[in-house]
Amino acid sequence: MIIVYGITLSTLVLVICGANICEDRNLKGCQRLAAIKQDMCQDNCMATLCPRTCGLCPLKCYSCDHVDHPSDCHHIVQCTNMTMSCITSQTVTSSLEKKFQLGCVDNTVCNDLYGPVPNLTQSIIRRDVDLIGGCCSSDLCNKYNEPDKIPAPTMNPVQPSGNTHGFSAACTEMDSQVCRHFSENNGCLLSCVASMCPQTCGKCSLTCYECASVDLPGHCRNRITCNGHQESCIAVESHVFNFKEGYKLGCVAKQNCKD
């Protein structure tokens, strides 16, 4: 058995099989939400939808035995608990070849090998030891090509694209694109998604103008409450009894609008 700094490789790297995978409800939705609302993880609803983005999941790490270089590793595992970090460590095989081993390791082991684990989104590779390696504390951070040239991640601000036309101020959602992502795969069945995206999930009543006949749509003043999930507001050109052109306004089934 190979020993690295007095610690057996069987202890150093743990490959996870059959673990419950902790993931965001929708990766694109969580990424956009994080760009719009940087404090989103303080909201219980958003944190429930985006546990990995909010750092509530065990890390995912590259995991390989005896590869020539960390960039050759493509297998990914989820660590068993929140007290583990990703690690890359150079080892020596029984034939005295230098190889790399990647995986998950307890923070105490990382601390013994390389010092405290940095809270950064890139690998920290030590060059002042015979067998190079390092630990890091973000998803998939233990694979690199040129460690000294890894750029820091950037977060581009995103302009919210809320859609409130026709709805009351009390029935609004932060961003229509975020809600579109989260509503996929029956997401609206989740109370958290439905409360954050009431329009997308059809939980809002829709207020439309309603008139049997007016000369211009802008002259209609009567209002009616429609079913926002099944209906849309409509204004159609019509003819009144004296054959003059006019307009009829009200609610109509969404399917009729498509036709």
Side-chain angles (χ1 to χ4, degrees), residues 126-180:
R126 290 182 56 172
R127 302 280 188 177
D128 56 350
V129 293
D130 293 333
L131 297 179
I132 63 175
C135 296
C136 51
S137 58
S138 63
D139 284 331
L140 306 179
C141 60
N142 61 331
K143 177 178 178 178
Y144 60 88
N145 292 312
E146 297 178 81
D148 296 333
K149 297 182 180 180
I150 298 176
T154 58
M155 180 68 74
N156 296 322
V158 175
Q159 185 66 31
S161 59
N163 177 19
T164 61
H165 181 69
F167 295 95
S168 66
C171 192
T172 60
E173 49 196 33
M174 178 188 303
D175 184 83
S176 58
Q177 292 187 43
V178 167
C179 289
R180 176 173 56 82

Side-chain angles (χ1 to χ4, degrees), residues 48-242:
T48 299
L49 294 173
C50 306
R52 184 160 293 280
T53 297
C54 290
L56 302 177
C57 296
L59 292 180
K60 290 191 295 185
C61 305
Y62 287 101
S63 177
C64 290
D65 291 331
H66 302 158
V67 291
D68 291 331
H69 192 273
S71 61
D72 297 327
C73 182
H74 305 290
H75 180 58
I76 296 173
V77 299
Q78 177 179 279
C79 300
T80 52
N81 56 62
M82 299 291 289
T83 65
M84 304 185 83
S85 298
C86 299
I87 189 172
T88 298
S89 183
Q90 194 177 44
T91 66
V92 178
T93 68
S94 58
S95 58
L96 301 182
E97 292 182 293
K98 286 187 177 181
K99 297 288 186 177
F100 284 90
Q101 192 162 5
L102 297 82
C104 299
V105 69
D106 191 88
N107 289 335
T108 57
V109 177
C110 276
N111 187 72
D112 291 340
L113 288 174
Y114 304 113
V117 180
N119 186 22
L120 299 174
T121 56
Q122 63 186 70
S123 299
I124 301 300
I125 308 300
R126 290 182 56 172
R127 302 280 188 177
D128 56 350
V129 293
D130 293 333
L131 297 179
I132 63 175
C135 296
C136 51
S137 58
S138 63
D139 284 331
L140 306 179
C141 60
N142 61 331
K143 177 178 178 178
Y144 60 88
N145 292 312
E146 297 178 81
D148 296 333
K149 297 182 180 180
I150 298 176
T154 58
M155 180 68 74
N156 296 322
V158 175
Q159 185 66 31
S161 59
N163 177 19
T164 61
H165 181 69
F167 295 95
S168 66
C171 192
T172 60
E173 49 196 33
M174 178 188 303
D175 184 83
S176 58
Q177 292 187 43
V178 167
C179 289
R180 176 173 56 82
H181 289 308
F182 285 139
S183 64
E184 294 176 354
N185 300 318
N186 298 318
C188 287
L189 297 178
L190 301 174
S191 58
C192 182
V193 175
S195 62
M196 189 172 71
C197 305
Q199 294 179 32
T200 301
C201 292
K203 301 300 181 180
C204 297
S205 60
L206 181 65
T207 300
C208 302
Y209 285 102
E210 181 188 44
C211 286
S213 180
V214 289
D215 53 352
L216 292 172
H219 292 168
C220 183
R221 295 292 181 267
N222 299 325
R223 299 184 181 186
I224 188 175
T225 299
C226 307
N227 185 328
H229 183 54
Q230 299 178 348
E231 298 178 308
S232 299
C233 298
I234 192 172
V236 294
E237 191 174 6
S238 64
H239 292 276
V240 295
F241 66 93
N242 57 1

